[in-house]
Every structure is written in C-alpha cells, then in structure tokens.
Amino acid sequence: MSADEQKKKAARAAADMVRAGMVVGLGTGSTATHLIKILGDEVRNGLTIRAIPTSEETRKLAIAEGIELIEPDEQTIIDIAIDGTDEVDGRLNLIKGGGGALLREKIIAGSALKMVIIADASKKVAQLGAFPLPVEVDRFCWPLTVSRIREVCEEQNLKNIDIALRQQEGGGVFRSDGGNYIADLCCGRIGDAIALHKGLIDIPGVIETGLFIDIADQVILASADGLEILGE
Ligand code: 5RP
C-alpha cells in the first residue's frame, strides 16, 4: 500500500467522525486533500456541514467540492478540525507547516472542540526534529529575527543548525497566505519541544512555530496493516 493510499485510508476514518450540522476545520496538504474530496462526495450525497479552510489552497478545493464555507464570528464553535502532520510523537505533539499553513492551521486547531490528525504511518517518530521545523516570521528585518532564532536554538543545545528561508518552487522566497516568510530549522532532534516553542514564540518577529504541543486530541495513522489510533 503506497503512502498516498495510507493517507486516503486515514482521511476516510476521520471523515466518518463528521456528522450532519458540524462546523469542520479543514486542514492543508495532501492528506487533507483526500479528506476534502471524501467530504465533497458526502456533501453531494446530502451531508450538511459548514467548514473553515486553513489555507487558500484548501479554500479553493473546498469550493470546488461544493462544501459550504463560513467566516467565523466570536460565537462560532468548530466541532472538529482535521489536518495532516509532518511528524507526530508518542505524546501527540506535532511538527506541522510543511505546506506553509501552520499559522492558520494552529488558529483553527486551537479553537476546535476536537483536533484530529490524519497521516500515513511514516509520520510517527520517537522524537520530533528530523523534519525541518517551520517557523513563520515577519518579513521586516527578518535576518535579525533569524539571528535571535539561532540564539534560542543554541540555548536548547541545537548548535550550528542549518536555518533556511523557505523558497517557492520556480524561484523566489515562499510567502505564507498571510504574506510572511518561513524559516525552516534543521534541528535533527528536539530534546525539549515545549521549551523550544516557548523560546521561539517570545522573539519579536516570530509569528508562530510549527510545534503543535498538546493540541491534537487524536491521531489516526494508517498503514498496510490497518489503523493505529493515538489518543482518546
Ligand atoms: C501544511 C501541513 C500539512 O498538514 C503537513 O505538511 C502534512 O502534509 P501532507 O498531508 O501532504 O503529508 O502542516 O502546512
């Protein structure tokens, strides 16, 4: 079974958790794309849901699939957010942002009653950090912000790591949907993800980090052998 088939299987399991009338946070990436297409099928078969997309890419796909989108107000309750991940450890902590949508993904995940992660089994790791950690930064004087990021990393025993400003395919610096830059931190192994996140988020110029700590309620990992469910 290919990784893509595994992603689809995880997406199918999460789609089964979506009930009529729910407000659904729609994630970003190839696994979330499977979910949106499955939900699109269900909407065409009569399922009534409203959704909030976590990226412009997801917004376009959801519209093409006929899923009703809403702009939340202060009273909006997001029943469930479903998204992919780049890494997940045994405590359900994540590295996300490989697709550059980490800020909007974290806003939606943090407001949802339930946050479900869907992934192929390769995303499960013993320790976070092999996947470069995305950190969204303001464009103003960004090299100064990267310099401060490096200091925080060194305090966390991440010495002399590569930090790359993300480029877009075809050339040019990548910009998030919010117009910001993303620095990818090649940490290798993150010893204390909580301390690293706290250190980074305190830097003026850092908008958000791709460390999703204590946010996911459930992780659905699919492999050829079946589904592994982490969390409640
Ligand atoms: C986008 C993300 C994605 O969820 C993450 O990169 C996983 O992507 P995929 O489902 O394509 O493996 O965080 O910002």
Side-chain angles (χ1 to χ4, degrees):
M1 184 183 244
S2 69
D4 194 58
E5 287 167 331
Q6 292 175 31
K7 290 177 184 194
K8 193 169 182 179
K9 192 162 142 183
R12 174 71 265 169
D16 289 344
M17 299 166 74
V18 175
R19 303 271 175 265
M22 280 186 168
V23 174
V24 183
L26 298 174
T28 295
S30 57
T31 319
T33 292
H34 284 302
L35 172 82
I36 295 160
K37 289 182 175 172
I38 292 166
L39 290 177
D41 279 343
E42 298 196 349
V43 164
R44 286 187 287 281
N45 285 326
L47 177 70
T48 51
I49 56 169
R50 293 173 300 148
I52 303 174
T54 54
S55 64
E56 294 309 311
E57 172 193 315
T58 289
R59 178 188 304 280
K60 283 183 198 139
L61 179 60
I63 289 170
E65 290 293 329
I67 297 171
E68 182 188 347
L69 299 180
I70 57 165
E71 282 293 331
D73 59 27
E74 285 186 39
Q75 279 67 48
T76 300
I77 292 171
I78 303 173
D79 296 286
I80 189 168
I82 306 172
D83 204 345
T85 194
D86 297 300
E87 284 188 347
V88 53
D89 71 11
R91 294 182 193 163
L92 278 68
N93 292 328
L94 320 167
I95 286 183
K96 282 183 52 55
L102 61 149
L103 175 60
R104 294 186 183 188
E105 291 172 336
K106 201 179 270 192
I107 291 170
I108 297 304
S111 288
L113 295 180
K114 183 168 177 144
M115 167 58 168
V116 176
I117 290 293
I118 48 178
D120 63 281
S122 73
K123 303 291 181 70
K124 188 178 172 190
V125 297
Q127 192 162 19
L128 298 176
F131 190 92
L133 173 64
V135 177
E136 186 155 349
V137 298
D138 193 279
R139 285 181 292 136
F140 177 75
C141 290
W142 65 268
L144 299 179
T145 304
V146 168
S147 174
R148 303 285 315 281
I149 288 174
R150 196 174 289 288
E151 284 170 13
V152 166
C153 287
E154 301 215 339
E155 283 162 19
Q156 294 298 316
N157 285 322
L158 297 165
K159 312 265 186 215
N160 299 317
I161 63 165
D162 280 340
I163 300 179
L165 194 67
R166 191 176 297 183
Q167 304 296 305
Q168 59 186 1
E169 282 174 30
V173 181
F174 177 89
R175 301 262 294 264
S176 70
D177 284 339
N180 307 308
Y181 286 165
I182 291 183
D184 289 306
L185 282 51
C186 299
C187 300
R189 285 162 62 94
I190 297 174
D192 187 339
I194 297 174
L196 180 60
H197 170 76
K198 282 187 176 156
L200 293 172
I201 204 72
D202 277 353
I203 299 171
V206 167
I207 293 165
E208 193 47 89
T209 87
L211 284 166
F212 284 50
I213 310 290
D214 208 16
I215 292 178
D217 296 301
Q218 192 171 72
V219 177
I220 302 174
L221 293 164
S223 70
D225 297 334
L227 295 175
E228 182 184 5
I229 312 287
L230 309 179
E232 55 180 60

